[in-house]
Amino acid sequence: SMPVIQMEDDGGAPVIRSALSVDYPFPLEKLLSDPESLRKFIGKSLVEGNFVGNKIVSCLIPKDVRHIPIQYRQTDKKSTSYEPFFKELQNHLQEPLSSLDVDVLHVRTPTSDASDRSVIAVVADRQRTINHLELLRMAGLDVIALDSGPAALGRVISDAHYAHHQSSSALIINFGKKNTYLTEIWGRRLMLNREIDFGEDLLIEKICQRLKCNIDTASKLFFNVDFDKAHREEITDIINEILHHELLVLTREIGQSLTYVASLTRGDTAKIIYLMGGVSSYPQIKGIIEAKIQIPVLIYDPSIQFPYRQGIFPLANGMHHLLATATGLALRGLYADGN
């Protein structure tokens, strides 16, 4: 689905002006290959969602972006040159840097030696970036900035957990269709960003195999849509069994991530976990992960963190968990552009 949110300033505080999450009319790859259909889809969605203006902050689709952890040494501690970083980055790449767009997310450095630097390189093929911007331009949109998913999530979550969990870190689990992304924030600094081979499609496929049903039926069962009340308990037990089994890999990766960050922070680790993305809407997912990890779990909802503007009809319940990244993008646009 396409998540979009528009923020505005209300006396110095961000509020939600408009929000939507709308399913694509056909697979995203096909839609992106048809600029006219994309233009009509975006235009219709924004009108129906009561959005105003055409300025946006966007990010590339996940498959077009790589996040590469880089550690390098800056021999001159006062230098702001990125030459040592680019030399190290090139060692991780096959293609020349001249064909790529590169951004840098600074990671909290565990050592007191200012010469040691840790960053996450956000790398995208330059032509794909240009194509993305051109598609949005053809759809009538004015892109004021391109951001990355981890940066957007860090922006919104650091504000959320800083207000309630000062001096602690938060782990973000963002469930995608094919992959899940683990991002850990310590204070207001990024500590870790990892991609895990686990997603909504895998769980739906397992349900199809177990219940011998098609993908559409499995998806409705998983997300509690048109549930057969006569078999509710039996189906819930089966889905929970599948989820418990498949989450073993994910929880192992979560444990490794928490241990890694603890090794950099003298034992400090996440005090809270935020869930977002499609899988987080499954009714039992919060309790299952909380039981396995033994850390409080919240399903992120931007409408709790940011109120809707007076007179605006909120997005339907159960949809806000899809808007976390979009909220971070909107906040960047709000602070940068004032609209």
Side-chain angles (χ1 to χ4, degrees), residues 169-171 183-186 189-192 257-258 261 269-270:
S169 62
L171 176 67
T183 304
E184 188 157 351
I185 308 295
W186 201 49
R189 296 296 298 273
L190 178 69
M191 290 299 295
L192 172 143
S257 298
L258 295 174
V261 172
T269 189

Side-chain angles (χ1 to χ4, degrees), residues 168-184:
S168 65
S169 62
L171 176 67
I172 304 163
I173 304 177
N174 189 14
F175 296 104
K177 294 282 287 182
K178 297 186 181 300
N179 301 100
T180 291
Y181 303 88
L182 305 182
T183 304
E184 188 157 351

Side-chain angles (χ1 to χ4, degrees), residues 199-269:
E200 180 182 322
D201 288 351
L202 172 66
L203 296 174
I204 299 301
E205 180 184 348
K206 296 295 183 181
I207 294 172
C208 287
Q209 295 172 357
R210 182 68 178 274
L211 298 179
K212 294 181 171 53
C213 62
N214 60 38
I215 290 176
D216 185 57
T217 299
S219 183
K220 288 180 177 179
L221 291 173
F222 183 72
F223 292 112
N224 206 24
V225 178
D226 296 334
F227 215 110
D228 180 358
K229 293 182 180 179
H231 300 91
R232 180 185 299 272
E233 186 174 344
E234 178 186 356
I235 292 174
T236 298
D237 287 344
I238 290 173
I239 294 177
N240 283 346
E241 181 184 332
I242 292 171
L243 198 56
H244 274 282
H245 182 267
E246 297 303 326
L247 280 174
L248 289 175
V249 174
L250 180 63
T251 51
R252 184 167 61 245
E253 295 286 352
I254 292 171
Q256 291 174 355
S257 298
L258 295 174
T259 299
Y260 169 75
V261 172
S263 72
L264 304 180
T265 59
R266 298 179 181 178
D268 192 13
T269 189

Side-chain angles (χ1 to χ4, degrees), residues 12 72 91 156 201 226 238 251 271 282 339:
Y72 66 98
N91 293 333
V156 71
D201 288 351
D226 296 334
I238 290 173
T251 51
K271 301 298 189 295
Y282 180 67
N339 293 318

Side-chain angles (χ1 to χ4, degrees), residues 289-308:
I289 292 181
E290 208 163 43
K292 289 179 177 292
I293 304 298
Q294 300 295 306
I295 294 175
V297 175
L298 292 176
I299 297 176
Y300 178 71
D301 182 346
S303 68
I304 295 175
Q305 185 179 1
F306 305 105
Y308 275 85

